[in-house]
């Protein structure tokens, strides 16, 4: 959908800055299909000039021409503190194709770059590329990644690195921060235009009723509540849940120092700059709720077009309370499915929580454990299962397994059918940090084969793929705590 708002107070026409001698680092043929970009046998665009377009070096390829690339302005709360105006400091929206927006991240400075250089490094671009595509394959709403184009242009971070441009695709990149921006300027006209744009293009169900803006808030909040439940269910930590990184469409966007849990640690912090653990794994739902409160506050003037200030606040407050209910319902459903439970019974939540506590206490690998759980037979002996896992408090986990088996026996589904269902929700393969790191280190030596391999494996995360079994394993000890720098 084209970002149709125009005007200096909304966006600036911005030409990408070229990079010298661009080359393909990664390309997603499946993302290319979304924008009907034809690819050849090598999996790359048939129209070769797409390399220059996705590098930010030219604006046309074959029949496609981007006439007015823009950078948009938004504001936001960073780590809980109002940060004022931010904006697309290094993302340039080329335009829309086939109803989707195509954005170049790292394509040079914009009006909103502040002190930044407008660039992205190869390392973080590969991570964003791999994770976007992996999340999509896991069935989690996300922006997609089309390509990473590299260059030997130097970029200064903690050390000298090289530049890359990650091209990404989404129906829209509108964020909570866009609402906050116009709200902070008390610009109700723009706020209304933004909300109307979202409703007409993405939330048409909100418009016929009496309360379009209240309904819009509820829908955005619902989508983000469900999104964060999905993150929790695969052990995904976003790392920087600032309000400017939260999508108004409930997509996972702005991949930075994210990480998938290897061993289960409920308070795991993946972002090295997050000293207080504001964005730790277990805090993600609360923090998303907090971001929805920012959205509610930003949308208040829209409700006040129809209601008194007090009524508007009461309506939004009540809608905001629904977040926790929706999140909890979604989380319970997902974890029930992870445990292979078909019915809903009292005691299920306690059973799930006891398991997670035991996994945390013993630092059990999150993904492998759930995947392995599908192998259980209803008549297995708890001790037999125990051999395979590294729980420290054995009496406790034996008791848990005994209770779990009783619970499984209360259902009629066969072991085989249950396993098949569990394997559709418990992935075997996730983008573990050490795997991404390995692909990055090879790419830094101009070997991009590992990126392709990971891309292929992670495109079918629920399949066995025996040949790649070792990619499903927890990291070796020396790679267990790969540090992920916040710089990108
Ligand atoms: P992030 O934490 O990556 O979501 O970025 C927060 C803000 O900083 C956004 O407005 C980004 O556009 C901007 N930003 C991050 N890195 C750069 C950079 N290298 N150059 C310009 N702006 C940047
Ligand atoms: Mg961002």
């Amino acid at each position: 959908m084209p970002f149709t708002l125009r005007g200096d107070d909304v966006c600036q026409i911005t030409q990408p800055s070229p990079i010298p001698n661009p080359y393909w680092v990664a390309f997603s043929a499946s993302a290319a299909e979304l924008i009907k970009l034809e690819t050849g046998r090598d999996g790359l665009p048939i129209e070769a000039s797409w390399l220059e377009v996705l590098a930010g070096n030219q604006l046309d390829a074959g029949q496609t021409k981007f006439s007015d690339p823009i950078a948009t302005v938004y504001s936001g709360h960073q780590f809980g503190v109002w940060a004022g105006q931010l904006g697309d400091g290094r993302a340039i929206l080329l335009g829309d194709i086939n109803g989707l927006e195509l954005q170049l991240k790292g394509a040079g400075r914009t009006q909103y770059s502040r002190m930044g250089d407008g660039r992205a490094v190869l390392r973080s671009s590969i991570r964003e590329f791999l994770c976007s595509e992996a999340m999509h394959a896991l069935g989690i709403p996300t922006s997609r990644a089309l390509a990473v184009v590299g260059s030997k242009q130097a970029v200064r971070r903690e050390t000298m690195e090289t530049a890359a441009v990650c091209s990404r695709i989404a129906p829209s990149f509108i964020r909570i921060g866009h609402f906050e921006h116009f709200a902070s300027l008390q610009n109700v006209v723009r706020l209304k235009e933004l909300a109307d744009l979202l409703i007409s293009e993405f939330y048409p169900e909100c418009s016929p009723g009496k309360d379009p803006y209240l309904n819009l808030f509820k829908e955005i909040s619902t989508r983000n509540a469900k999104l964060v439940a999905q993150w929790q269910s695969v052990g995904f930590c976003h790392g920087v849940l600032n309000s400017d990184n939260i999508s108004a469409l409930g997509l996972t966007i702005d991949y930075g120092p994210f990480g998938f849990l290897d061993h289960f640690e409920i308070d795991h912090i993946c972002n090295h700059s997050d000293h207080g653990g504001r964005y730790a794994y277990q805090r993600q739902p609360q923090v998303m709720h907090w971001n929805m409160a920012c959205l509610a506050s930003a949308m208040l003037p829209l409700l006040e077009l129809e209601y008194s200030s007090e009524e508007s606040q009461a309506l939004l407050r009540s809608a905001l309370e629904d977040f926790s209910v929706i999140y909890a319902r979604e989380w319970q459903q997902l974890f029930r499915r992870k445990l292979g439970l078909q019915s809903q019974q009292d005691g299920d939540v306690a059973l799930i929580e006891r398991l997670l506590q035991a996994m945390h206490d013993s630092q059990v690998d999150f993904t492998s454990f759930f995947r392995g759980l599908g192998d259980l037979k209803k008549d297995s002996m708890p001790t037999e299962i125990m051999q395979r896992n590294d729980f420290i408090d054995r009496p406790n986990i034996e008791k848990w397994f005994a209770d779990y088996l009783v619970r499984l026996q209360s259902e009629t589904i066969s072991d085989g059918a249950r396993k098949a269902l569990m394997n559709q929700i418990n992935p075997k393969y996730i983008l573990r940090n050490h795997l991404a790191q390995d692909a990055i280190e090879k790419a830094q030596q101009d070997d991009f084969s590992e990126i392709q391999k990971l891309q292929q494996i992670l495109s079918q995360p629920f399949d066995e793929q025996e040949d790649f079994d070792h990619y499903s394993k927890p990291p070796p000890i020396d790679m267990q705590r790969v540090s992920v720098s916040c710089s990108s």
Side-chain angles (χ1 to χ4, degrees), residues 74 78 86-91 105 108-110 112-120 157 175 240 242 244-245 254 256 486 488:
Y74 51 82
Q78 298 186 314
L86 302 163
D88 294 324
R90 55 172 169 172
K105 180 169 174 178
R109 286 182 55 80
T110 75
Y112 313 109
S113 296
R114 295 173 294 149
M115 305 300 284
D117 58 8
R119 291 295 176 196
R157 293 293 181 261
R175 301 139 194 277
V240 197
N242 293 337
D244 55 302
N245 288 340
D254 282 17
C486 186
S488 58

PDB file of all heavy atoms in Angstrom, residues 74 78 86-91 105 108-110 112-120 157 175 240 242 244-245 254 256 486 488, ligand 1:
ATOM      1  N   TYR A  74       8.844   9.882  12.461  1.00  0.00           N
ATOM      2  CA  TYR A  74       8.090   9.366  13.605  1.00  0.00           C
ATOM      3  C   TYR A  74       8.840   9.751  14.867  1.00  0.00           C
ATOM      4  O   TYR A  74       9.967  10.270  14.798  1.00  0.00           O
ATOM      5  CB  TYR A  74       7.865   7.840  13.513  1.00  0.00           C
ATOM      6  CG  TYR A  74       9.099   7.002  13.256  1.00  0.00           C
ATOM      7  CD1 TYR A  74       9.953   6.639  14.291  1.00  0.00           C
ATOM      8  CD2 TYR A  74       9.406   6.536  11.972  1.00  0.00           C
ATOM      9  CE1 TYR A  74      11.077   5.850  14.056  1.00  0.00           C
ATOM     10  CE2 TYR A  74      10.525   5.753  11.733  1.00  0.00           C
ATOM     11  CZ  TYR A  74      11.356   5.416  12.779  1.00  0.00           C
ATOM     12  OH  TYR A  74      12.464   4.640  12.561  1.00  0.00           O
ATOM     13  N   GLN A  78      12.029   5.420  23.910  1.00  0.00           N
ATOM     14  CA  GLN A  78      13.122   4.451  23.885  1.00  0.00           C
ATOM     15  C   GLN A  78      13.465   4.082  25.316  1.00  0.00           C
ATOM     16  O   GLN A  78      13.718   4.961  26.142  1.00  0.00           O
ATOM     17  CB  GLN A  78      14.335   5.050  23.164  1.00  0.00           C
ATOM     18  CG  GLN A  78      14.022   5.391  21.701  1.00  0.00           C
ATOM     19  CD  GLN A  78      15.231   5.853  20.916  1.00  0.00           C
ATOM     20  OE1 GLN A  78      15.996   6.679  21.387  1.00  0.00           O
ATOM     21  NE2 GLN A  78      15.393   5.326  19.718  1.00  0.00           N
ATOM     22  N   LEU A  86      12.307  10.965  15.910  1.00  0.00           N
ATOM     23  CA  LEU A  86      13.284  10.020  15.377  1.00  0.00           C
ATOM     24  C   LEU A  86      13.083  10.001  13.851  1.00  0.00           C
ATOM     25  O   LEU A  86      13.461  10.953  13.199  1.00  0.00           O
ATOM     26  CB  LEU A  86      13.078   8.631  15.984  1.00  0.00           C
ATOM     27  CG  LEU A  86      13.178   8.578  17.521  1.00  0.00           C
ATOM     28  CD1 LEU A  86      12.569   7.303  18.075  1.00  0.00           C
ATOM     29  CD2 LEU A  86      14.630   8.700  17.957  1.00  0.00           C
ATOM     30  N   GLY A  87      12.474   8.991  13.346  1.00  0.00           N
ATOM     31  CA  GLY A  87      12.200   8.935  11.898  1.00  0.00           C
ATOM     32  C   GLY A  87      13.086   7.931  11.193  1.00  0.00           C
ATOM     33  O   GLY A  87      13.983   7.342  11.790  1.00  0.00           O
ATOM     34  N   ASP A  88      12.816   7.744   9.908  1.00  0.00           N
ATOM     35  CA  ASP A  88      13.609   6.808   9.103  1.00  0.00           C
ATOM     36  C   ASP A  88      15.004   7.392   8.905  1.00  0.00           C
ATOM     37  O   ASP A  88      15.261   8.103   7.935  1.00  0.00           O
ATOM     38  CB  ASP A  88      12.955   6.598   7.725  1.00  0.00           C
ATOM     39  CG  ASP A  88      11.605   5.897   7.813  1.00  0.00           C
ATOM     40  OD1 ASP A  88      11.447   5.011   8.688  1.00  0.00           O
ATOM     41  OD2 ASP A  88      10.713   6.220   6.995  1.00  0.00           O
ATOM     42  N   GLY A  89      15.900   7.059   9.809  1.00  0.00           N
ATOM     43  CA  GLY A  89      17.240   7.637   9.759  1.00  0.00           C
ATOM     44  C   GLY A  89      18.138   6.933   8.768  1.00  0.00           C
ATOM     45  O   GLY A  89      19.175   7.455   8.367  1.00  0.00           O
ATOM     46  N   ARG A  90      17.750   5.718   8.415  1.00  0.00           N
ATOM     47  CA  ARG A  90      18.555   5.001   7.426  1.00  0.00           C
ATOM     48  C   ARG A  90      17.714   4.049   6.588  1.00  0.00           C
ATOM     49  O   ARG A  90      18.214   3.121   5.979  1.00  0.00           O
ATOM     50  CB  ARG A  90      19.673   4.233   8.106  1.00  0.00           C
ATOM     51  CG  ARG A  90      19.194   3.289   9.201  1.00  0.00           C
ATOM     52  CD  ARG A  90      20.314   2.444   9.666  1.00  0.00           C
ATOM     53  NE  ARG A  90      19.953   1.724  10.866  1.00  0.00           N
ATOM     54  CZ  ARG A  90      20.707   0.790  11.396  1.00  0.00           C
ATOM     55  NH1 ARG A  90      21.847   0.479  10.837  1.00  0.00           N
ATOM     56  NH2 ARG A  90      20.334   0.184  12.491  1.00  0.00           N
ATOM     57  N   ALA A  91      16.403   4.273   6.637  1.00  0.00           N
ATOM     58  CA  ALA A  91      15.520   3.452   5.803  1.00  0.00           C
ATOM     59  C   ALA A  91      14.869   4.372   4.785  1.00  0.00           C
ATOM     60  O   ALA A  91      14.379   5.447   5.138  1.00  0.00           O
ATOM     61  CB  ALA A  91      14.465   2.770   6.659  1.00  0.00           C
ATOM     62  N   LYS A 105      17.108  -0.500   3.801  1.00  0.00           N
ATOM     63  CA  LYS A 105      17.671  -0.127   5.104  1.00  0.00           C
ATOM     64  C   LYS A 105      19.188  -0.047   4.969  1.00  0.00           C
ATOM     65  O   LYS A 105      19.829  -1.014   4.559  1.00  0.00           O
ATOM     66  CB  LYS A 105      17.282  -1.173   6.152  1.00  0.00           C
ATOM     67  CG  LYS A 105      17.828  -0.874   7.551  1.00  0.00           C
ATOM     68  CD  LYS A 105      17.178  -1.796   8.565  1.00  0.00           C
ATOM     69  CE  LYS A 105      17.796  -1.647   9.941  1.00  0.00           C
ATOM     70  NZ  LYS A 105      17.131  -2.519  10.915  1.00  0.00           N
ATOM     71  N   GLY A 108      21.829   5.113   3.198  1.00  0.00           N
ATOM     72  CA  GLY A 108      22.406   6.447   3.306  1.00  0.00           C
ATOM     73  C   GLY A 108      21.588   7.396   4.156  1.00  0.00           C
ATOM     74  O   GLY A 108      20.486   7.074   4.605  1.00  0.00           O
ATOM     75  N   ARG A 109      22.140   8.554   4.363  1.00  0.00           N
ATOM     76  CA  ARG A 109      21.536   9.526   5.276  1.00  0.00           C
ATOM     77  C   ARG A 109      20.207  10.065   4.761  1.00  0.00           C
ATOM     78  O   ARG A 109      19.983  10.147   3.562  1.00  0.00           O
ATOM     79  CB  ARG A 109      22.512  10.687   5.520  1.00  0.00           C
ATOM     80  CG  ARG A 109      23.684  10.301   6.428  1.00  0.00           C
ATOM     81  CD  ARG A 109      24.603  11.485   6.681  1.00  0.00           C
ATOM     82  NE  ARG A 109      23.891  12.637   7.211  1.00  0.00           N
ATOM     83  CZ  ARG A 109      23.531  12.802   8.483  1.00  0.00           C
ATOM     84  NH1 ARG A 109      23.833  11.880   9.377  1.00  0.00           N
ATOM     85  NH2 ARG A 109      22.873  13.866   8.864  1.00  0.00           N
ATOM     86  N   THR A 110      19.362  10.422   5.710  1.00  0.00           N
ATOM     87  CA  THR A 110      18.074  11.047   5.393  1.00  0.00           C
ATOM     88  C   THR A 110      17.958  12.299   6.264  1.00  0.00           C
ATOM     89  O   THR A 110      18.805  12.553   7.125  1.00  0.00           O
ATOM     90  CB  THR A 110      16.883  10.118   5.716  1.00  0.00           C
ATOM     91  OG1 THR A 110      16.697  10.105   7.142  1.00  0.00           O
ATOM     92  CG2 THR A 110      17.095   8.686   5.235  1.00  0.00           C
ATOM     93  N   TYR A 112      16.300  12.545   8.677  1.00  0.00           N
ATOM     94  CA  TYR A 112      16.077  12.134  10.079  1.00  0.00           C
ATOM     95  C   TYR A 112      17.242  11.338  10.644  1.00  0.00           C
ATOM     96  O   TYR A 112      17.088  10.632  11.638  1.00  0.00           O
ATOM     97  CB  TYR A 112      14.777  11.312  10.165  1.00  0.00           C
ATOM     98  CG  TYR A 112      13.647  11.975   9.420  1.00  0.00           C
ATOM     99  CD1 TYR A 112      13.154  11.444   8.227  1.00  0.00           C
ATOM    100  CD2 TYR A 112      13.101  13.175   9.894  1.00  0.00           C
ATOM    101  CE1 TYR A 112      12.140  12.084   7.519  1.00  0.00           C
ATOM    102  CE2 TYR A 112      12.093  13.819   9.179  1.00  0.00           C
ATOM    103  CZ  TYR A 112      11.621  13.270   8.004  1.00  0.00           C
ATOM    104  OH  TYR A 112      10.625  13.906   7.306  1.00  0.00           O
ATOM    105  N   SER A 113      18.404  11.443  10.010  1.00  0.00           N
ATOM    106  CA  SER A 113      19.537  10.608  10.447  1.00  0.00           C
ATOM    107  C   SER A 113      20.165  11.094  11.744  1.00  0.00           C
ATOM    108  O   SER A 113      20.926  10.364  12.379  1.00  0.00           O
ATOM    109  CB  SER A 113      20.620  10.554   9.361  1.00  0.00           C
ATOM    110  OG  SER A 113      20.126   9.925   8.210  1.00  0.00           O
ATOM    111  N   ARG A 114      19.891  12.305  12.136  1.00  0.00           N
ATOM    112  CA  ARG A 114      20.510  12.892  13.344  1.00  0.00           C
ATOM    113  C   ARG A 114      22.033  12.686  13.272  1.00  0.00           C
ATOM    114  O   ARG A 114      22.637  13.064  12.288  1.00  0.00           O
ATOM    115  CB  ARG A 114      19.888  12.271  14.604  1.00  0.00           C
ATOM    116  CG  ARG A 114      18.383  12.632  14.726  1.00  0.00           C
ATOM    117  CD  ARG A 114      17.698  11.905  15.842  1.00  0.00           C
ATOM    118  NE  ARG A 114      17.643  10.472  15.588  1.00  0.00           N
ATOM    119  CZ  ARG A 114      17.658   9.527  16.512  1.00  0.00           C
ATOM    120  NH1 ARG A 114      17.698   9.867  17.781  1.00  0.00           N
ATOM    121  NH2 ARG A 114      17.609   8.253  16.175  1.00  0.00           N
ATOM    122  N   MET A 115      22.632  12.006  14.260  1.00  0.00           N
ATOM    123  CA  MET A 115      24.093  11.857  14.230  1.00  0.00           C
ATOM    124  C   MET A 115      24.540  10.627  13.440  1.00  0.00           C
ATOM    125  O   MET A 115      25.737  10.378  13.293  1.00  0.00           O
ATOM    126  CB  MET A 115      24.637  11.736  15.672  1.00  0.00           C
ATOM    127  CG  MET A 115      24.240  12.864  16.603  1.00  0.00           C
ATOM    128  SD  MET A 115      24.823  14.448  15.990  1.00  0.00           S
ATOM    129  CE  MET A 115      26.547  14.302  16.428  1.00  0.00           C
ATOM    130  N   GLY A 116      23.585   9.852  12.945  1.00  0.00           N
ATOM    131  CA  GLY A 116      23.930   8.567  12.301  1.00  0.00           C
ATOM    132  C   GLY A 116      24.445   8.731  10.883  1.00  0.00           C
ATOM    133  O   GLY A 116      24.258   9.772  10.249  1.00  0.00           O
ATOM    134  N   ASP A 117      25.079   7.692  10.389  1.00  0.00           N
ATOM    135  CA  ASP A 117      25.655   7.741   9.041  1.00  0.00           C
ATOM    136  C   ASP A 117      24.699   7.202   7.974  1.00  0.00           C
ATOM    137  O   ASP A 117      25.040   7.164   6.789  1.00  0.00           O
ATOM    138  CB  ASP A 117      26.989   6.971   8.995  1.00  0.00           C
ATOM    139  CG  ASP A 117      26.820   5.505   9.407  1.00  0.00           C
ATOM    140  OD1 ASP A 117      25.666   5.048   9.589  1.00  0.00           O
ATOM    141  OD2 ASP A 117      27.844   4.813   9.539  1.00  0.00           O
ATOM    142  N   GLY A 118      23.519   6.746   8.412  1.00  0.00           N
ATOM    143  CA  GLY A 118      22.540   6.254   7.445  1.00  0.00           C
ATOM    144  C   GLY A 118      22.849   4.869   6.899  1.00  0.00           C
ATOM    145  O   GLY A 118      22.148   4.362   6.033  1.00  0.00           O
ATOM    146  N   ARG A 119      23.891   4.269   7.420  1.00  0.00           N
ATOM    147  CA  ARG A 119      24.326   2.968   6.894  1.00  0.00           C
ATOM    148  C   ARG A 119      23.982   1.822   7.841  1.00  0.00           C
ATOM    149  O   ARG A 119      23.698   2.033   9.016  1.00  0.00           O
ATOM    150  CB  ARG A 119      25.841   2.980   6.655  1.00  0.00           C
ATOM    151  CG  ARG A 119      26.273   3.876   5.505  1.00  0.00           C
ATOM    152  CD  ARG A 119      25.716   3.353   4.189  1.00  0.00           C
ATOM    153  NE  ARG A 119      26.007   4.211   3.048  1.00  0.00           N
ATOM    154  CZ  ARG A 119      25.378   4.117   1.880  1.00  0.00           C
ATOM    155  NH1 ARG A 119      24.433   3.237   1.687  1.00  0.00           N
ATOM    156  NH2 ARG A 119      25.691   4.914   0.886  1.00  0.00           N
ATOM    157  N   ALA A 120      24.048   0.620   7.310  1.00  0.00           N
ATOM    158  CA  ALA A 120      23.917  -0.599   8.121  1.00  0.00           C
ATOM    159  C   ALA A 120      25.125  -1.460   7.776  1.00  0.00           C
ATOM    160  O   ALA A 120      25.610  -1.408   6.645  1.00  0.00           O
ATOM    161  CB  ALA A 120      22.625  -1.328   7.776  1.00  0.00           C
ATOM    162  N   ARG A 157      31.916   1.296  13.224  1.00  0.00           N
ATOM    163  CA  ARG A 157      31.116   0.988  14.409  1.00  0.00           C
ATOM    164  C   ARG A 157      32.117   0.844  15.556  1.00  0.00           C
ATOM    165  O   ARG A 157      32.968   1.703  15.679  1.00  0.00           O
ATOM    166  CB  ARG A 157      30.279  -0.290  14.199  1.00  0.00           C
ATOM    167  CG  ARG A 157      29.192  -0.128  13.125  1.00  0.00           C
ATOM    168  CD  ARG A 157      28.080   0.874  13.530  1.00  0.00           C
ATOM    169  NE  ARG A 157      27.030   1.023  12.513  1.00  0.00           N
ATOM    170  CZ  ARG A 157      26.958   2.014  11.614  1.00  0.00           C
ATOM    171  NH1 ARG A 157      27.863   2.975  11.613  1.00  0.00           N
ATOM    172  NH2 ARG A 157      25.977   2.075  10.746  1.00  0.00           N
ATOM    173  N   ARG A 175       4.369   2.697  12.236  1.00  0.00           N
ATOM    174  CA  ARG A 175       4.690   2.279  13.614  1.00  0.00           C
ATOM    175  C   ARG A 175       3.845   3.044  14.627  1.00  0.00           C
ATOM    176  O   ARG A 175       3.266   4.081  14.290  1.00  0.00           O
ATOM    177  CB  ARG A 175       6.155   2.649  13.915  1.00  0.00           C
ATOM    178  CG  ARG A 175       7.142   2.027  13.019  1.00  0.00           C
ATOM    179  CD  ARG A 175       8.244   3.005  12.621  1.00  0.00           C
ATOM    180  NE  ARG A 175       8.967   2.428  11.486  1.00  0.00           N
ATOM    181  CZ  ARG A 175       9.944   1.538  11.631  1.00  0.00           C
ATOM    182  NH1 ARG A 175      10.357   1.216  12.830  1.00  0.00           N
ATOM    183  NH2 ARG A 175      10.509   1.005  10.573  1.00  0.00           N
ATOM    184  N   VAL A 240      14.769  -4.810  21.318  1.00  0.00           N
ATOM    185  CA  VAL A 240      14.579  -3.344  21.419  1.00  0.00           C
ATOM    186  C   VAL A 240      13.106  -2.998  21.175  1.00  0.00           C
ATOM    187  O   VAL A 240      12.738  -2.471  20.126  1.00  0.00           O
ATOM    188  CB  VAL A 240      15.449  -2.557  20.406  1.00  0.00           C
ATOM    189  CG1 VAL A 240      15.534  -1.089  20.840  1.00  0.00           C
ATOM    190  CG2 VAL A 240      16.850  -3.130  20.292  1.00  0.00           C
ATOM    191  N   ASN A 242      11.197  -0.671  21.709  1.00  0.00           N
ATOM    192  CA  ASN A 242      10.835   0.739  21.816  1.00  0.00           C
ATOM    193  C   ASN A 242       9.587   0.978  20.976  1.00  0.00           C
ATOM    194  O   ASN A 242       9.350   0.268  19.997  1.00  0.00           O
ATOM    195  CB  ASN A 242      11.981   1.611  21.302  1.00  0.00           C
ATOM    196  CG  ASN A 242      13.208   1.517  22.206  1.00  0.00           C
ATOM    197  OD1 ASN A 242      13.089   1.176  23.382  1.00  0.00           O
ATOM    198  ND2 ASN A 242      14.367   1.820  21.662  1.00  0.00           N
ATOM    199  N   ASP A 244       8.911   2.996  18.779  1.00  0.00           N
ATOM    200  CA  ASP A 244       9.155   3.261  17.351  1.00  0.00           C
ATOM    201  C   ASP A 244       9.499   1.983  16.591  1.00  0.00           C
ATOM    202  O   ASP A 244       9.628   2.003  15.370  1.00  0.00           O
ATOM    203  CB  ASP A 244      10.275   4.292  17.170  1.00  0.00           C
ATOM    204  CG  ASP A 244      11.559   3.880  17.867  1.00  0.00           C
ATOM    205  OD1 ASP A 244      11.527   3.676  19.091  1.00  0.00           O
ATOM    206  OD2 ASP A 244      12.590   3.739  17.191  1.00  0.00           O
ATOM    207  N   ASN A 245       9.650   0.879  17.313  1.00  0.00           N
ATOM    208  CA  ASN A 245       9.927  -0.394  16.644  1.00  0.00           C
ATOM    209  C   ASN A 245       8.715  -1.323  16.678  1.00  0.00           C
ATOM    210  O   ASN A 245       8.841  -2.525  16.436  1.00  0.00           O
ATOM    211  CB  ASN A 245      11.114  -1.102  17.307  1.00  0.00           C
ATOM    212  CG  ASN A 245      12.433  -0.399  17.002  1.00  0.00           C
ATOM    213  OD1 ASN A 245      12.534   0.347  16.045  1.00  0.00           O
ATOM    214  ND2 ASN A 245      13.439  -0.637  17.827  1.00  0.00           N
ATOM    215  N   ASP A 254      12.042  -4.260  12.496  1.00  0.00           N
ATOM    216  CA  ASP A 254      13.278  -3.667  13.010  1.00  0.00           C
ATOM    217  C   ASP A 254      14.100  -4.650  13.828  1.00  0.00           C
ATOM    218  O   ASP A 254      14.299  -4.495  15.038  1.00  0.00           O
ATOM    219  CB  ASP A 254      12.984  -2.402  13.828  1.00  0.00           C
ATOM    220  CG  ASP A 254      12.704  -1.218  12.912  1.00  0.00           C
ATOM    221  OD1 ASP A 254      12.420  -1.447  11.721  1.00  0.00           O
ATOM    222  OD2 ASP A 254      12.779  -0.071  13.378  1.00  0.00           O
ATOM    223  N   GLY A 256      17.139  -6.081  15.385  1.00  0.00           N
ATOM    224  CA  GLY A 256      18.434  -5.554  15.834  1.00  0.00           C
ATOM    225  C   GLY A 256      19.151  -6.635  16.614  1.00  0.00           C
ATOM    226  O   GLY A 256      19.439  -7.707  16.082  1.00  0.00           O
ATOM    227  N   CYS A 486      24.628  -4.126  20.124  1.00  0.00           N
ATOM    228  CA  CYS A 486      23.462  -3.350  19.753  1.00  0.00           C
ATOM    229  C   CYS A 486      23.751  -2.539  18.497  1.00  0.00           C
ATOM    230  O   CYS A 486      22.862  -2.144  17.762  1.00  0.00           O
ATOM    231  CB  CYS A 486      23.107  -2.450  20.920  1.00  0.00           C
ATOM    232  SG  CYS A 486      21.601  -1.562  20.693  1.00  0.00           S
ATOM    233  N   SER A 488      24.607  -1.487  14.809  1.00  0.00           N
ATOM    234  CA  SER A 488      24.201  -2.162  13.590  1.00  0.00           C
ATOM    235  C   SER A 488      24.394  -1.242  12.389  1.00  0.00           C
ATOM    236  O   SER A 488      23.889  -1.456  11.359  1.00  0.00           O
ATOM    237  CB  SER A 488      22.752  -2.614  13.712  1.00  0.00           C
ATOM    238  OG  SER A 488      21.931  -1.503  13.972  1.00  0.00           O
TER     239      SER A 488
HETATM  240  P1  LIG B   1      16.709   1.453  16.058  1.00  0.00           P
HETATM  241  O1  LIG B   1      17.032   1.352  17.501  1.00  0.00           O
HETATM  242  O2  LIG B   1      17.633   0.711  15.144  1.00  0.00           O
HETATM  243  O3  LIG B   1      15.287   1.154  15.782  1.00  0.00           O
HETATM  244  O4  LIG B   1      16.954   2.991  15.648  1.00  0.00           O
HETATM  245  C1  LIG B   1      16.421   4.081  16.361  1.00  0.00           C
HETATM  246  C2  LIG B   1      16.497   5.318  15.525  1.00  0.00           C
HETATM  247  O5  LIG B   1      17.843   5.600  15.149  1.00  0.00           O
HETATM  248  C3  LIG B   1      15.718   5.257  14.221  1.00  0.00           C
HETATM  249  O6  LIG B   1      15.191   6.530  13.990  1.00  0.00           O
HETATM  250  C4  LIG B   1      16.782   4.892  13.212  1.00  0.00           C
HETATM  251  O7  LIG B   1      16.438   5.322  11.918  1.00  0.00           O
HETATM  252  C5  LIG B   1      17.970   5.667  13.734  1.00  0.00           C
HETATM  253  N1  LIG B   1      19.249   5.055  13.341  1.00  0.00           N
HETATM  254  C6  LIG B   1      19.796   3.895  13.777  1.00  0.00           C
HETATM  255  N2  LIG B   1      20.994   3.677  13.198  1.00  0.00           N
HETATM  256  C7  LIG B   1      21.214   4.716  12.365  1.00  0.00           C
HETATM  257  C8  LIG B   1      22.268   5.073  11.486  1.00  0.00           C
HETATM  258  N3  LIG B   1      23.349   4.321  11.344  1.00  0.00           N
HETATM  259  N4  LIG B   1      22.134   6.221  10.795  1.00  0.00           N
HETATM  260  C9  LIG B   1      21.057   6.999  10.915  1.00  0.00           C
HETATM  261  N5  LIG B   1      20.031   6.738  11.730  1.00  0.00           N
HETATM  262  C10 LIG B   1      20.095   5.600  12.452  1.00  0.00           C
END
